[in-house]
């Protein structure tokens, strides 16, 4: 995708949703870290349902540890892999207390030293909590980047590097959210809604179907708002 086309691609996403936000509910960097750790192989909806019960009683590393393993599991048992996630979260809380004064660190290296925190999670924290122009490549962003021709790559790391090289600085801050919401609601894996897509005119996907291009104007407006 040419630089001019990329600029129009992101300009269209910005016009449709000028201030995108994560769908995870949180109030502090620590709460965001908890939510992101719990979100692995789970939906944001399921995580939010659990954290609405958890955060009122435990919103600090010390409070999470005070719940104990069984107590924490009781709050997150509706989320997949909850036992392992509870162990990782408790280990993370212990390390935050021992090494970082119970605060969420602000460097990728320090974040990735925490149990269960990989590059993708670290990038989410840096971008959402601390406003850094990072891009966390999940399955949605990986698919959108390859399908559209925006930033093809065989691995998430390769796609991340390609995105960092091609996304104009003016769009870098919100690129993560624009792309993840586009992939989640419009550029879906099995049946992409090409006719409802704000960036269809700039996309290199060659399998846009006639059916998808007959989406109603009302659906287009709804999809644009989601993306």
């Amino acid at each position: 995708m040419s630089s001019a086309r990329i600029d129009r691609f992101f300009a269209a996403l910005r016009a449709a949703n000028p201030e995108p936000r994560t769908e995870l509910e949180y109030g502090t960097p620590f709460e965001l870290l908890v939510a992101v750790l719990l979100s692995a192989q789970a939906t944001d909806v399921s995580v939010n349902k659990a954290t609405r019960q958890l955060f009122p009683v435990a919103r600090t590393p010390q409070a999470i540890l005070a719940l104990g393993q069984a107590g924490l599991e009781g709050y997150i048992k509706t989320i997949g892999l909850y036992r392992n996630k509870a162990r990782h979260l408790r280990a993370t809380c212990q390390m935050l207390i021992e090494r970082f004064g119970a605060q969420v660190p602000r460097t990728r290296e320090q974040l990735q030293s925490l149990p269960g925190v990989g590059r993708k999670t670290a990038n989410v924290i840096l971008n959402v909590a601390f406003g850094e122009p990072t891009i966390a490549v999940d399955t949605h962003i990986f698919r959108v980047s390859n399908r559209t021709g925006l930033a093809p790559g065989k691995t998430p790391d390769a796609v991340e590097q390609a995105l960092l090289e091609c996304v104009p600085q003016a769009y870098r801050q919100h690129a993560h959210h624009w792309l993840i919401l586009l992939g989640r609601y419009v550029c879906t894996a099995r049946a992409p809604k090409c006719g409802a897509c704000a960036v269809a005119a700039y996309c290199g996907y060659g399998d846009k179907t006639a059916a998808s291009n007959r989406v109603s104007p009302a659906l287009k407006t709804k999809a644009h708002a989601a993306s």
Side-chain angles (χ1 to χ4, degrees):
M1 193 180 293
S2 69
S3 58
R5 198 177 187 89
I6 290 171
D7 190 84
R8 290 193 292 271
F9 182 100
F10 281 101
L13 291 177
R14 182 171 63 184
N17 187 1
E19 295 290 335
R21 293 287 183 266
T22 180
E23 294 185 321
L24 290 172
E25 297 173 359
Y26 73 100
T28 67
F30 176 70
E31 289 181 1
L32 177 64
L33 175 60
V34 172
V36 176
L37 286 174
L38 295 178
S39 70
Q41 300 181 52
T43 66
D44 288 357
V45 171
S46 68
V47 172
N48 290 338
K49 182 178 179 180
T51 57
R52 285 172 196 156
Q53 304 301 314
L54 174 63
F55 288 157
V57 298
R59 59 179 68 242
T60 66
Q62 296 90 335
I64 292 287
L65 288 176
L67 290 175
Q69 179 72 19
L72 179 56
E73 288 180 2
Y75 284 100
I76 66 172
K77 62 185 178 181
T78 56
I79 301 173
L81 306 174
Y82 72 94
R83 290 191 175 91
N84 284 336
K85 290 178 180 179
R87 282 192 290 270
H88 280 147
L89 179 52
R90 283 171 50 76
T92 291
C93 289
Q94 190 67 48
M95 188 176 292
L96 286 174
I97 293 169
E98 293 176 352
R99 298 189 183 181
F100 303 109
Q103 300 299 309
V104 177
R106 299 188 63 148
T107 71
R108 179 179 285 106
E109 293 74 16
Q110 290 175 329
L111 284 166
Q112 288 187 233
S113 73
L114 299 170
V117 176
R119 186 175 181 87
K120 181 181 73 174
T121 296
N123 278 338
V124 172
I125 302 302
L126 291 170
N127 179 254
V128 178
F130 300 129
E132 295 193 19
T134 59
I135 300 175
V137 178
D138 70 346
T139 55
H140 297 299
I141 294 180
F142 186 82
R143 177 177 64 255
V144 168
S145 297
N146 278 285
R147 178 184 279 166
T148 63
L150 172 65
K154 294 183 178 180
T155 67
D157 284 352
V159 169
E160 179 188 338
Q161 186 58 43
L163 287 169
L164 291 175
E165 291 174 358
C166 78
V167 177
Q169 194 65 38
Y171 304 113
R172 188 80 57 81
Q173 180 64 44
H174 294 312
H176 166 79
H177 286 116
W178 282 323
L179 294 175
I180 196 171
L181 292 172
L182 180 66
R184 183 174 291 168
Y185 295 112
V186 181
C187 195
T188 51
R190 294 187 179 180
K193 303 174 181 66
C194 299
C197 181
V199 295
Y202 316 114
C203 169
Y205 182 46
D207 194 27
K208 301 186 184 74
T209 65
S212 73
N213 285 324
R214 290 198 296 269
V215 175
S216 70
L219 180 55
K220 285 187 180 184
T221 300
K222 181 179 180 180
H224 288 183
S227 67

